[in-house]
Amino acid sequence: MREILRLLNITLEEKRRLLLFFICSIFVAFFTYGFVNLIQPILDNMLNYESQTATQKTRLMDYVFQHLHISQQDIYWVLPLLVVIVIFGKGLFTFLSTLIMKSIGHRASKKLRDELFEHLIYQSTDYFDQRSTGEIMSRVTSDVDKIQQAVSGSMGDFIREVIVLVALLLYIFYTDWRLAIVAFVIAPLAAIPLAIFSRKLKKRGKQSQARMAGIYEQLYESITGSKIVKAFTMERFELKKFYGATKSFFKSSMRLARIESLSSPFMEFIGGAVGAFVLYVGMRRITEGYISPGDFGSFVVAIFYSYTPIKRMSRANNVIQQGVASYERIQDILESKPKIADHPKAFPLPPVKGKVTFEDVSFSYNEARPVLYDVSFEVNPTEMVAVVGLSGSGKTTIINLLSRFYEATSGEIKIDDINISEVTLTSLRSQIGLVTQELILFNDSICNNIAYGLEEMPFERIEGVAKAAMAHDFIQELPEGYDTQIGERGVLLSSGQRQRLAIARALLKNPPILILDEATSALDSESERLIQIAMTNVMKDRTTLVIAHRLSTIRNADKIMVVDKGKIVEVGTHDELCQVDGIYKKLYDLQFPEEKEGLS
Ligand code: ADP
Ligand code: MG
């Protein structure tokens, strides 16, 4: 019951629809009540039973017939007509109430999805570090689906059936409360297994959803990493893992299936037993003359009708439990706040010249292992600074902190002498152009990929940055030029081409600070030459931080910083650093003359 209230809470914003649903449900109950009442005159008339003598109570139908002055003759056509009307009315309002509830469910699920996505899109980077894509995706897709089903179908059923049940109980107790008590003394027997079933179902439902997410995850990883899988001939290994995931899903599905399948026959059996017992007592009540056979007929029909709501309620219960499990799982997303957000007093960073200062900055992704130790440096406006060092030394981390993808554990990072933790994220990031190794291109046209996020950008500017990024020529050779659609995640382009598109995209913002994180690492020498030109084009008039894989690309840097194990160990120009016998010189010697790839 508590769970239903929680689900109901989601729908509360649809107050008017909910009210309409209640009204329709009351009509359904009313017509069901009417139908049950019709059984009595039908049976007693057929049996020619002098029914008035059997009971002192006024029956609904006796009342109706008397007030409408319907004679004994007319009853023969009035009764069937009433049956048709009552059944039609019940059907009509069942239809309306179902439709209304479905629309409430679909509305709620649209809102939930939007809300989830809103939470996700603003999450800080570390949120996605800790969770798998498949898992998050199944929250937004299948969990919301489950909630929609619970609200649209089952919750509506549940509420409507409760109202119908109340109407039927009123009839049952009014007709013969002694017989009713007999019938309902054994009814709690049916409630006990219901409680046990619903608890089990909830547990199993949760388990099987978690395992489905496992399959999803596995699938996603294998598809996105299909190249790696092939390259390492890991097909059999991946198959084994997948078989494992489907097997455990199968097992939990079967456990769920057993409980689900058992639920309905078991309830039916209990219903049957109750019926048999009532039949026995009822026949005695007729022979003793307390009720007419028609009353008993109506009574039994009412009992059977009230069995349907109970059955439906138990079935609805299953789906509702699953919906609630899903609802609990999405709470994690709905309740999580982005770790990195604007401070209450954050102000927009005014347009900057591009001075970047790090003062004793330390950082760790997780408490256990520090990644940066007391990093301090200063970059003047329009300078080009290169960061070099072995893979894993912390170069990307420095960049991550500057864009506030993560927040420094201690120390201060300033742009134009303004602490970046005091400004709004949007104003900060809009002034930083970022080209990373992970080149995310979207399934859209080249033009829209370059103009990502910048609506109504004049085409001349897009073409301009493409030219500066040395991408214009290859774009023109594509079948539809700038309107060419890039395949899913840009697979149709070479990595050098994608890299140049990414540079063009970063340039379009015309940012005062430009960061190129190993933007030249995945390239052949022709692409590298082009990007070299592109970079010289784009570095003019802005502060540029280049993390370089190939040292040839940074020889002209104003300053080179060497990072080693989270510390800046050497700073200077190329010539200066070659003088000292340090890490830079070693790295350089490694790459030249033999051009060995000793760096990253
Ligand atoms: P580089 O760019 O110099 O190759 P990074 O800055 O990417 O190095 O990484 C520095 C260290 O931080 C590495 O040891 C890496 O394993 C760790 N690291 C990088 N990103 C994360 C992350 N998202 N979560 C935890 N540790 C990370
Ligand atoms: Mg890196």
Side-chain angles (χ1 to χ4, degrees):
M1 216 44 207
R2 197 172 34 106
E3 281 90 3
I4 297 162
L5 288 181
R6 283 180 68 180
L7 276 185
L8 205 62
N9 211 21
I10 309 179
T11 60
L12 270 190
E13 275 163 46
E14 304 284 336
K15 282 197 189 71
R16 271 178 37 213
R17 283 194 174 72
L18 220 50
L19 184 69
L20 221 69
F21 168 77
F22 272 111
I23 293 172
C24 288
S25 298
I26 288 170
F27 272 102
V28 173
F30 171 76
F31 282 111
T32 311
Y33 183 80
F35 180 75
V36 167
N37 271 286
L38 277 175
I39 305 292
Q40 177 266 322
I42 292 172
L43 278 182
D44 283 344
N45 274 301
M46 272 200 270
L47 301 172
N48 270 327
Y49 189 91
E50 226 10 88
S51 65
Q52 258 81 356
T53 55
T55 175
Q56 286 85 48
K57 286 175 186 148
T58 19
R59 300 187 183 98
L60 176 69
M61 281 303 133
D62 293 344
Y63 182 83
V64 169
F65 292 149
Q66 269 164 29
H67 279 256
L68 294 182
H69 304 291
I70 291 170
S71 67
Q72 199 63 26
Q73 246 82 38
D74 289 340
I75 276 184
Y76 291 100
W77 64 267
V78 169
L79 274 178
L81 182 68
L82 281 177
V83 169
V84 170
I85 291 173
V86 161
I87 291 194
F88 176 79
K90 185 169 179 267
L92 177 68
F93 284 101
T94 306
F95 157 72
L96 286 176
S97 65
T98 310
L99 185 64
I100 292 167
M101 210 56 207
K102 275 196 196 297
S103 93
I104 292 177
H106 286 300
R107 270 160 211 275
S109 80
K110 182 197 180 311
K111 241 190 80 201
L112 269 182
R113 280 213 175 93
D114 291 351
E115 225 171 286
L116 283 174
F117 192 71
E118 264 166 44
H119 272 84
L120 286 174
I121 204 82
Y122 286 115
Q123 280 304 333
S124 346
T125 327
D126 67 317
Y127 185 87
F128 300 100
D129 289 350
Q130 290 155 14
R131 289 163 184 79
S132 78
T133 313
E135 200 186 304
I136 297 176
M137 280 165 65
S138 87
R139 293 283 177 285
V140 182
T141 54
S142 79
D143 276 331
V144 174
D145 242 11
K146 289 245 160 65
I147 294 171
Q148 182 263 317
Q149 280 163 19
V151 172
S152 280
S154 309
M155 203 178 78
D157 265 5
F158 199 100
I159 296 171
R160 187 176 54 226
E161 298 304 336
V162 167
I163 298 174
V164 172
L165 190 61
V166 168
L168 291 169
L169 288 179
L170 282 178
Y171 178 81
I172 290 167
F173 277 91
Y174 181 73
T175 306
D176 185 350
W177 63 269
R178 291 185 191 83
L179 188 56
I181 286 174
V182 170
F184 284 103
V185 160
I186 37 179
L189 282 181
I192 296 165
L194 180 78
I196 296 171
F197 272 122
S198 74
R199 195 169 318 135
K200 284 216 160 161
L201 264 169
K202 187 178 170 183
K203 201 173 124 206
R204 296 296 176 212
K206 229 176 187 167
Q207 190 185 44
S208 107
Q209 273 171 53
R211 295 193 175 170
M212 193 54 186
I215 292 183
Y216 212 92
E217 216 170 285
Q218 176 65 40
L219 195 59
Y220 183 81
E221 279 172 13
S222 304
I223 290 171
T224 50
S226 68
K227 236 187 198 159
I228 310 278
V229 172
K230 285 196 203 317
F232 286 84
T233 58
M234 292 298 271
E235 286 94 342
R236 286 182 58 83
F237 176 72
E238 289 296 318
L239 272 177
K240 232 193 215 158
K241 273 206 292 185
F242 193 75
Y243 291 159
T246 48
K247 190 173 168 188
S248 76
F249 177 66
F250 170 77
K251 278 189 185 158
S252 72
S253 302
M254 277 315 292
R255 262 181 236 132
L256 191 63
R258 274 196 286 275
I259 302 169
E260 272 177 343
S261 331
L262 193 58
S263 157
S264 140
F266 194 71
M267 304 304 291
E268 205 162 316
F269 174 73
I270 289 181
V274 171
F277 191 68
V278 170
L279 188 66
Y280 167 73
V281 181
M283 288 197 294
R284 292 191 54 158
R285 299 286 286 170
I286 297 173
T287 38
E288 287 163 13
Y290 291 108
I291 51 174
S292 76
D295 286 324
F296 186 66
S298 276
F299 187 90
V300 169
V301 169
I303 293 269
F304 267 95
Y305 259 95
S306 65
Y307 163 69
T308 313
I310 292 173
K311 194 168 110 181
R312 283 233 186 115
M313 275 156 67
S314 103
R315 192 177 302 155
N317 206 25
N318 304 347
V319 183
I320 289 173
Q321 300 294 355
Q322 290 188 19
V324 171
S326 287
Y327 190 62
E328 278 167 10
R329 280 142 51 88
I330 64 167
Q331 285 305 309
D332 169 54
I333 296 180
L334 290 179
E335 278 165 12
S336 57
K337 296 226 161 52
K339 244 192 212 158
I340 298 170
D342 291 344
H343 291 283
K345 286 185 200 143
F347 57 90
L349 180 67
V352 296
K353 292 205 184 69
K355 182 174 159 197
V356 175
T357 322
F358 270 57
E359 284 172 12
D360 297 323
V361 173
S362 297
F363 176 74
S364 60
Y365 287 100
N366 37 44
E367 267 97 69
R369 202 170 54 93
V371 175
L372 293 182
Y373 305 86
D374 297 333
V375 170
S376 299
F377 63 86
E378 192 171 287
V379 182
N380 291 316
T382 72
E383 259 184 355
M384 183 258 207
V385 170
V387 185
V388 298
L390 293 170
S391 173
S393 55
K395 304 180 297 290
T396 301
T397 307
I398 293 178
I399 302 301
N400 282 342
L401 294 183
L402 183 59
S403 302
R404 266 181 80 194
F405 292 135
Y406 299 88
E407 236 150 8
T409 324
S410 68
E412 286 185 359
I413 301 170
K414 292 175 181 164
I415 294 180
D416 278 16
D417 296 319
I418 300 171
N419 193 327
I420 59 165
S421 63
E422 288 166 11
V423 302
T424 60
L425 286 171
T426 341
S427 68
L428 171 70
R429 290 177 187 160
S430 68
Q431 301 200 48
I432 298 177
L434 184 61
V435 183
T436 63
Q437 256 171 325
E438 310 135 25
L439 302 167
I440 309 297
L441 293 179
F442 300 91
N443 206 350
D444 202 340
S445 68
I446 297 247
C447 195
N448 287 342
N449 261 286
I450 295 178
Y452 177 62
L454 301 169
E455 279 151 41
E456 294 177 25
M457 188 51 73
F459 180 70
E460 291 73 47
R461 282 211 50 205
I462 295 177
E463 207 179 36
V465 291
K467 276 182 179 151
M470 303 303 283
H472 179 69
D473 289 343
F474 87 80
I475 294 173
Q476 287 218 304
E477 280 163 23
L478 293 172
E480 287 166 73
Y482 281 84
D483 293 326
T484 309
Q485 295 285 322
I486 304 181
E488 200 184 14
R489 298 167 86 231
V491 279
L492 296 179
L493 299 174
S494 79
S495 49
Q497 291 169 332
R498 280 191 273 167
Q499 195 87 61
R500 279 175 273 159
L501 281 189
I503 293 176
R505 177 195 291 162
L507 276 185
L508 197 60
K509 285 205 289 193
N510 195 18
I513 298 169
L514 181 66
I515 298 169
L516 301 166
D517 186 356
E518 317 220 38
T520 56
S521 59
L523 305 180
D524 52 87
S525 45
E526 170 61 8
S527 295
E528 192 191 335
R529 194 184 63 81
L530 288 174
I531 288 190
Q532 197 72 64
I533 303 172
M535 276 169 39
T536 337
N537 288 345
V538 304
M539 283 171 188
K540 276 182 292 190
D541 310 325
R542 59 183 110 240
T543 307
T544 318
L545 281 168
V546 184
I547 296 179
H549 175 77
R550 305 192 193 202
L551 298 187
S552 57
T553 53
I554 53 151
R555 227 177 290 192
N556 309 326
D558 296 307
K559 201 160 38 179
I560 297 170
M561 301 194 294
V562 183
V563 183
D564 187 42
K565 300 197 184 91
K567 291 189 186 113
I568 294 184
V569 289
E570 291 166 29
V571 183
T573 61
H574 172 74
D575 293 334
E576 284 165 10
L577 290 179
C578 282
Q579 299 293 310
V580 285
D581 196 21
I583 293 182
Y584 183 78
K585 183 144 189 334
K586 246 184 246 157
L587 295 173
Y588 195 78
D589 286 344
L590 269 173
Q591 281 193 12
F592 303 98
E594 298 154 30
E595 284 265 343
K596 259 203 278 176
E597 304 218 330
L599 282 184
S600 78

